[in-house]
């Protein structure tokens, strides 16, 4: 039996081992899910809604415990981890509204009555990365369950604990055995089996663009629908007519939150040339004040990176670059990395590749057209922010930037009630928002001759 050793990123010390599931165990979980899904789909809409509300309530009762686990396995600051656990409960509560609202249509036709139904796929496979282990899991499992599916979920090898606990809490809340099964294990074993297993009828994958592309190719061979949430290289676009103080104060959170290990991280800052020096002058104290340290401390804004290997990769982005200034980070054990601001040119590696660490590239632009061109000069298209006090410009630029999730004078990307997802190499399909559950259904049309 193979095991995954878990390491506390804040200390570098290993603290637990989790058994990695085999192919046979994965197949057995899918077989149980097939059976559980039939009864779940036959439940009344109110029955499914009530079960999800009970699940939400049980999660809410365990916010402290879930948050502590996320601090331990992922190094998230405690206040962020508590937000994440509460967010899971909110996604469940919001999804609980869906079973009673998945209305079909009645379409006028000759000679009878025509109606559509939103039928669940059956079993849905959800594959989760390590950066936001429980929130991203919930974006898949909650609406999939609401739509009448069973779910098999594979957490990332480095961070399985919160997902495993959520699987236990689902049972505690009274969800039927086999309906929602968390299967820790290796991507190429468990995750790949979701792609090839004929009874897994839809896959949701969040992770790197490289692996996501392979998952999509595998799903294509099975004619299996797939939702992909992949990488990003999003931009903060700061115009000369912005409130520069507000923008500069917001930038650290927009890229250094979760130590930059965020698909929505604004890892490029595009600044209009006429305010470039002034903006950097405002940014420097904001970066120096960004508190990096013990994730158990309530004052901490940023913890460590996830692993030693990942820290090496992030560090490689600083080779030969022009560092403008850095914040501070603890030294010693743990995978620490100080927030870093780099002056860059459009062709530089630091300005083109996803870093997934607390490193941001600053680039100047001349005018609105130049800003749009630079913002779109990337294979990715996930998130981004536009900073301007000019309403017309805000509308024009937000329509012109090829990204799925934008904000104006804000760095927020995620709300459970609004759609989330990427364009271009950042993904396919959308999660969250009013249509989330419908994305886990297929439309059936039935004509009744009269
Ligand atoms: P990753 O692609 O290495 O792994 C993601 C998941 O896929 C893990 O559970 C892994 O075990 C599994 N996996 C690996 N090989 C597989 C295979 N052959 N078949 C099926 N599953 C397989 O990504 P990561 O390093 O865990 O996460 C970081 C990446 O995730 C970044 O690129 C980040 O931008 C992206 N991400 C995107 C979003 C989004 O919503 N767009 C959110 C979070 C993270």
């Amino acid at each position: 039996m193979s095991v995954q050793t878990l390491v506390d990123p804040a200390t570098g010390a290993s603290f637990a081992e989790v058994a990695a599931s085999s192919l046979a165990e994965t197949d057995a979980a899918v077989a149980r899910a097939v059976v559980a899904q039939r009864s779940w789909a036959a439940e009344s809409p109110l029955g499914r809604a009530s079960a999800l509300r009970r699940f939400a309530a049980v999660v809410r009762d365990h916010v402290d415990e879930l948050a502590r686990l996320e601090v331990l396995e992922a190094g998230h600051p405690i206040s962020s981890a508590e937000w994440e656990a509460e967010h899971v409960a909110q996604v469940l509560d919001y999804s609980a509204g869906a079973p009673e609202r998945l209305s079909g249509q009645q379409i006028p036709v000759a000679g009878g009555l025509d109606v559509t139904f939103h039928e669940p796929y059956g079993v849905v496979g959800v594959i989760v990365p390590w950066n936001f282990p429980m929130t991203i899991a919930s974006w898949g499992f909650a609406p999939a369950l609401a739509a009448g599916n069973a779910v098999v979920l594979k957490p990332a090898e480095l961070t399985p604990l919160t997902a495993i606990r959520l699987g236990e809490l689902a049972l505690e809340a009274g969800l039927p055995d086999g309906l929602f099964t968390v299967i820790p294990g290796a991507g190429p074993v468990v995750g790949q089996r979701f792609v090839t297993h004929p009874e897994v009828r839809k896959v949701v994958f969040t992770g790197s663009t490289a692996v996501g592309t392979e998952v999509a190719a595998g799903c294509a061979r099975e004619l299996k629908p797939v939702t992909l949430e992949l990488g990003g290289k999003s931009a903060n676009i700061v115009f000369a007519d912005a409130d520069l103080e507000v923008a500069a104060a917001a930038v650290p959170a927009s890229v250094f939150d979760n130590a930059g290990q965020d698909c929505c991280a604004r890892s490029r800052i595009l600044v209009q040339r006429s305010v470039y020096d002034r903006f950097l002058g405002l940014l420097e104290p904001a970066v120096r004040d960004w508190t990096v340290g013990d994730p158990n401390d309530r004052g901490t804004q940023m913890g460590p990176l996830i692993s030693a290997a990942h820290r090496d990769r992030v560090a490689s982005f600083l080779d030969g670059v022009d560092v403008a200034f850095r914040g501070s980070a603890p030294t010693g054990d743990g995978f620490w990395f100080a927030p870093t601001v780099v002056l860059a040119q459009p062709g530089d590696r630091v300005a083109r590749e996803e870093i997934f660490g607390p490193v941001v590239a600053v680039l100047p632009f001349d005018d609105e057209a130049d800003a749009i061109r630079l913002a779109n000069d990337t294979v990715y298209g996930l998130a981004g922010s536009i900073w301007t006090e000019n309403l017309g410009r805000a509308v024009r630029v937000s329509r012109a930037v090829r990204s799925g999730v934008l904000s104006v004078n804000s760095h927020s990307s995620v709300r459970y009630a609004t759609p989330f997802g990427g364009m271009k190499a950042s993904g396919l399909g959308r999660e969250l928002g009013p249509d989330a559950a419908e994305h886990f259904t297929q439309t059936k049309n039935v004509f009744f001759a009269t």
Side-chain angles (χ1 to χ4, degrees), residues 362-386:
V362 187
L363 299 93
F365 68 84
D366 292 314
D367 56 18
E368 191 176 304
D370 197 28
I372 293 166
R373 184 186 59 75
L374 273 177
N376 287 333
D377 182 23
T378 167
V379 296
Y380 295 111
L382 185 54
S385 294
I386 297 143

Side-chain angles (χ1 to χ4, degrees), residues 269-274 276 343-346 362-367 370-371 373-374:
I269 310 175
L270 313 179
V271 189
Q272 194 150 15
R273 208 178 293 276
S274 56
Y276 182 82
L343 307 182
Q345 298 299 319
V362 187
L363 299 93
F365 68 84
D366 292 314
D367 56 18
D370 197 28
R373 184 186 59 75
L374 273 177

Side-chain angles (χ1 to χ4, degrees), residues 63-434:
V63 161
D64 288 346
E65 181 197 346
L66 289 163
R68 289 277 160 211
L69 285 176
E70 213 64 294
V71 171
L72 189 60
E73 66 175 354
H76 290 195
I78 182 69
S79 50
S80 309
E82 286 167 354
W83 182 92
E84 289 159 31
E86 176 63 30
H87 178 81
V88 173
Q90 289 169 343
V91 173
L92 278 164
D93 269 334
Y94 184 72
S95 300
E100 296 180 281
R101 292 183 175 81
L102 274 174
S103 315
Q105 290 176 300
Q106 178 269 311
I107 300 168
V109 289
L113 170 72
D114 193 285
V115 289
T116 65
F117 298 89
H118 292 297
E119 302 285 3
Y121 278 101
V123 179
V124 172
V126 180
I127 304 171
V128 180
W130 48 258
N131 62 329
F132 286 107
M134 60 179 151
T135 54
I136 290 175
S138 72
W139 300 359
F141 72 69
L145 291 171
N149 301 280
V151 172
V152 286
L153 184 141
K154 195 202 88 62
E157 291 87 328
L158 300 177
T159 56
L161 294 184
T162 44
I164 291 172
R165 192 68 188 115
L166 286 168
E168 294 166 355
L169 295 178
L171 291 174
E172 219 174 276
L175 259 65
D177 187 42
L179 185 68
F180 170 42
T181 309
V182 176
I183 316 174
V189 179
V190 180
Q192 182 60 21
R193 188 60 183 141
F194 292 177
V195 173
T196 59
H197 198 302
E199 292 286 5
V200 177
R201 294 307 319 152
K202 174 167 180 167
V203 170
V204 177
F205 173 88
T206 305
S208 61
T209 296
V211 176
T213 305
E214 288 308 308
V215 165
C219 286
R221 277 191 290 277
E222 306 289 325
L223 292 180
K224 192 177 288 192
V226 59
T227 298
L228 299 172
E229 298 287 4
L230 308 175
K233 191 72 191 172
S234 301
N236 268 306
I237 310 174
V238 183
F239 286 97
D241 57 21
D243 184 329
L244 295 182
E245 280 78 10
V246 169
V251 158
S254 81
V255 59
F256 302 140
D257 190 48
N258 199 20
Q261 302 166 124
D262 182 341
C263 50
C264 295
R266 275 71 165 159
S267 57
R268 295 182 296 157
I269 310 175
L270 313 179
V271 189
Q272 194 150 15
R273 208 178 293 276
S274 56
V275 294
Y276 182 82
D277 289 337
R278 195 169 142 231
F279 184 77
L280 282 176
L282 292 166
L283 183 60
E284 184 165 0
V287 171
R288 294 211 194 279
D289 287 348
W290 188 248
T291 319
V292 184
D294 182 354
N296 293 293
D297 191 335
R298 291 211 164 265
T300 292
Q301 291 172 296
M302 181 180 127
L305 291 169
I306 190 74
S307 67
H310 187 55
R311 182 177 57 182
D312 290 347
R313 185 173 176 279
V314 172
S316 76
F317 280 92
L318 299 191
D319 291 345
V321 300
D322 182 1
V323 173
F325 43 84
R326 302 190 75 175
S328 59
T331 51
D333 294 340
F335 312 127
W336 302 101
F337 200 92
T340 306
V341 178
V342 170
L343 307 182
Q345 298 299 319
D348 296 348
R349 178 176 175 235
V350 73
R352 304 204 72 78
E353 291 182 22
E354 183 179 49
I355 302 172
F356 230 52
V359 178
V360 65
V362 187
L363 299 93
F365 68 84
D366 292 314
D367 56 18
E368 191 176 304
D370 197 28
I372 293 166
R373 184 186 59 75
L374 273 177
N376 287 333
D377 182 23
T378 167
V379 296
Y380 295 111
L382 185 54
S385 294
I386 297 143
W387 300 89
T388 176
E389 294 294 302
N390 178 324
L391 178 61
R393 190 194 299 285
V395 174
R396 286 191 301 274
V397 178
S398 57
R399 296 303 305 274
V401 173
R402 298 267 301 144
S403 284
V405 196
L406 290 166
S407 48
V408 175
N409 296 331
S410 157
H411 63 79
S412 72
S413 300
V414 171
R415 283 177 204 81
Y416 60 81
T418 59
F420 178 87
M423 295 179 177
K424 295 156 57 183
S426 290
L428 279 180
R430 293 294 176 268
E431 299 189 288
L432 302 176

Side-chain angles (χ1 to χ4, degrees), residues 22-72:
S22 65
L23 211 55
E25 287 164 324
T26 308
D27 284 358
V30 173
R32 283 197 307 278
V34 168
V35 175
Q37 191 268 333
R38 287 193 198 116
S39 334
W40 178 245
E43 272 260 4
S44 71
L46 178 60
R48 274 186 273 136
S50 304
L52 292 174
R53 287 191 185 106
R54 283 196 300 275
F55 188 5
V58 173
V59 169
R60 206 161 264 128
D61 287 343
H62 291 79
V63 161
D64 288 346
E65 181 197 346
L66 289 163
R68 289 277 160 211
L69 285 176
E70 213 64 294
V71 171
L72 189 60

